[in-house]
Structures are given as C-alpha cells and as structure tokens.
Amino acid sequence: MAASQTEGAQTEFSRESASSTLNTASNNAATSTGKLTAREVLYRYYECYNAGDLASIEPLIAQDVSYHDMAIYEEPFEGKQEFMAYLRRVKATVPSDIKFVIDDATDGDSSRVGIMWHVECGPANTPFPFSRGCSFYTVNDRGQITHARDLVESPNKPGAAALQLLAAIAPVVRELGPASDPSTLKKLPIGAAALWAFYVGYISYIMLGTSAPGLPAYATPPDVLAEVLSESINLFWINSALSSQGLSFIPDVVNPPVSGEVFYAFILDAGLYSVWQAVLLKDSPSSHRFVPFFGLVAHLLAGGSPTQQQEKRKSQQ
C-alpha cells in the first residue's frame, strides 16, 4: 500500500479522472460480477487512504493480509489487526497534505493489479523527491486485499557501477546459495551467536582494551605506524630492489633488520597457514569456507604452527 516515503504517506488516485473512474468501476462491478475487481478495489482504497478514512478502508482488507513495504521495513505486516495499526500510526504521523497519486494501473485481471504512483505535497501538488514507486496487490473473491508489496525509487542512483557491483557479488551469492540471504542471520544458532560474540569481545579487548598488555590499537605511536607502513611497502625487500635499479618512486626506508624479518615471517607463516586450511576445507560445505580467514586471524593472535597444533592434538588423544 504505497506507504513508502515518510513511513507510508496518505494517497490520492488520479485527480483528473478520480470521480469518473471510481463511478465507472462501481457501476461495472454492480452490473457484472457483483464485486469490485482488483483494480477497482485499489482505486477505492487509495481514495479512502488519501482522505484518511480508515473506517472505509477496513472492509477492503482481508483478515490474513500481508503487506510489505520493502523500502522501509525488513519484514511484512501480517494480519489485518497489525496492518490497520500501521495505518493508524501513518495517519497520526504523516502530514495530511502529503498524497499518493496513481499514475497508471493494470487492468484485465480480477484478482491481481500492479500500479505506478508518485507522492505530491502541499496545495500546489508539488512532487515529493524520490517518491516514484510501484506496487503489486492481490485481492480475494470478496474484493479484499490479501497481499501487497511496495517498492519506491532509491535516492542513491549509482548508475553503471551497480552493474559492476552485481557482477562482483554474483559469484559469492552463487557459492553461498541460501546462506547469502541476510535474513538467515536471524536463524543463527544460539551457540554460534555466543561464539561470535566471544570473538568480537576478545578481539576488541586485545585491540582496543587498556587493561591488556601494551597500548591499544588507537594509541599506537606514530613511529611504529610509520615503521609498519614502510615494511609493508618494502614487503620482502621488493621496493629496495626496485629502488636500487631506479625503478621505484617510493623512498627506500631502512628498517631495523630484526623487526623487518619478524614482520615478514609472520606474513609468510600466516599465509601458509591460510593456504593449508583452504586445502583441508576444499571439499567442505560452502558455508564453512570462511574458516581460513578466521583461522589466519586466530593464528596471528595465538601463535603456533600447524605442525605444533597437530602434535598437541595427538598428545591429547
């Protein structure tokens, strides 16, 4: 029910043909099937909705109605009571001079209808920014709305970049399958959720806490950050080699040899550990293949090589 902008603004069906359209619809319904078609129900609904006449809307809503405003709410409103409570909240919150105008509506199906609409505001009927949208409705054999879905235009219009993003995300979605749906996070087992909470708390304590040994990450001295940056740029002395041949424009900063070697050893060890885990998990379910990343983090934090960990398991057995 086109309630997207400003949490479900009130509606208006086309001003130029409002009365004639509704009268024709009602006359046709009375002379043919004896009930309103989906298109006729929607025009009547919008007329009442735009006027704030919730009492006249209520008979048009089925008891088992499901309404989903996908631009604002993650979950749909289920049931007549919940939906009518939402409309009452809309009426109490949204200014009465904000109206929805139907631009076009499908015809020829007695139980389904799709519409295009936009929002206008004030006595001059000023178009509301980013208010164009589409909705789809189904109606039961009693002329009552059973399902509705709204989708309003996005204020963010990335253009061709959206196609590139789609192409980049598609392989991930294809690999994860149903697990890529964000709604599945709500079904996360309590034990797994507790483990994730522990991970976040532990890393926050190590990286941000003041009671842990050493300085928190945000208080790292500038000279340490500069040294890490230079060692990262000169990873495995690549920049030094290029600079010696005059092929690098980045200054070659000399770092203490011990800290540089330790830094590279950690990078190499962590990378090998990640590859080792990836090989072990190559035939595992796709939902488990993020483990190498977290294994890498844990390895860097906890230390220890894969061989030492295997020997520890054997001794425990």
Side-chain angles (χ1 to χ4, degrees):
M1 322 295 170
S4 297
Q5 288 291 337
T6 61
E7 198 186 356
Q10 299 174 322
T11 58
E12 173 186 54
F13 70 110
S14 304
R15 290 179 298 277
E16 295 81 359
S17 60
S19 59
S20 61
T21 302
L22 185 59
N23 290 336
T24 301
S26 300
N27 291 337
N28 289 343
T31 57
S32 57
T33 62
K35 72 177 182 66
L36 297 179
T37 64
R39 189 175 191 269
E40 295 158 357
V41 169
L42 262 295
Y43 272 94
R44 175 167 292 184
Y45 168 82
Y46 277 110
E47 180 189 39
C48 299
Y49 189 31
N50 189 50
D53 186 2
L54 301 187
S56 297
I57 287 178
E58 193 162 357
L60 301 175
I61 308 301
Q63 290 294 336
D64 59 347
V65 66
S66 177
Y67 163 63
H68 194 183
D69 185 338
M70 301 183 71
I72 299 179
Y73 299 101
E74 183 178 354
E75 300 293 337
F77 294 95
E78 300 288 357
K80 185 174 183 176
Q81 182 177 357
E82 187 174 320
F83 177 65
M84 291 304 300
Y86 165 70
L87 292 187
R88 285 190 289 271
R89 187 165 67 251
V90 170
K91 183 179 179 181
T93 306
V94 177
S96 60
D97 63 345
I98 293 181
K99 314 290 183 182
F100 274 74
V101 181
I102 294 180
D103 300 315
D104 200 1
T106 60
D107 200 1
D109 193 322
S110 62
S111 61
R112 299 176 182 85
V113 61
I115 65 171
M116 296 192 304
W117 46 265
H118 71 276
V119 177
E120 294 181 357
C121 181
N125 299 319
T126 304
F128 207 87
F130 309 113
S131 70
R132 296 171 296 181
C134 296
S135 300
F136 183 80
Y137 300 84
T138 60
V139 176
N140 61 23
D141 56 4
R142 295 184 296 278
Q144 296 176 317
I145 298 170
T146 56
H147 291 87
R149 177 176 290 182
D150 288 342
L151 188 62
V152 69
E153 69 173 311
S154 172
N156 181 25
K157 304 180 187 298
L163 302 179
Q164 298 174 352
L165 179 62
L166 178 63
I169 293 177
V172 178
V173 175
R174 190 180 302 115
E175 180 71 13
L176 294 178
S180 63
D181 186 351
S183 64
T184 59
L185 294 178
K186 294 184 177 181
K187 303 175 183 177
L188 193 66
I190 296 178
L195 188 58
W196 275 102
F198 172 77
Y199 285 159
V200 173
Y202 176 73
I203 294 175
S204 298
Y205 169 76
I206 295 297
M207 301 298 293
L208 305 176
T210 57
S211 57
L215 295 173
Y218 57 81
T220 302
D223 56 334
V224 174
L225 294 176
E227 183 176 333
V228 172
L229 176 62
S230 63
E231 290 174 350
S232 300
I233 293 175
N234 193 30
L235 187 64
F236 292 105
W237 305 279
I238 294 176
N239 188 55
S240 296
L242 294 176
S243 296
S244 66
Q245 302 298 318
L247 301 177
S248 176
F249 63 90
I250 302 174
D252 182 19
V253 179
V254 178
N255 294 298
V258 174
S259 66
E261 291 174 1
V262 171
F263 178 80
Y264 301 148
F266 264 102
I267 295 296
L268 179 61
D269 182 53
L272 292 175
Y273 182 85
S274 180
V275 171
W276 174 74
Q277 281 208 6
V279 171
L280 292 180
L281 295 170
K282 65 183 178 64
D283 295 324
S284 65
S286 60
S287 59
H288 296 168
R289 292 178 189 170
F290 289 107
V291 172
F293 171 76
F294 297 106
L296 166 62
V297 174
H299 189 55
L300 287 175
L301 292 176
S305 66
T307 302
Q308 291 172 335
Q309 293 176 357
Q310 287 179 337
E311 292 175 352
K312 184 177 180 181
R313 292 193 196 98
K314 290 180 180 178
S315 63
Q316 292 175 345
Q317 293 175 354

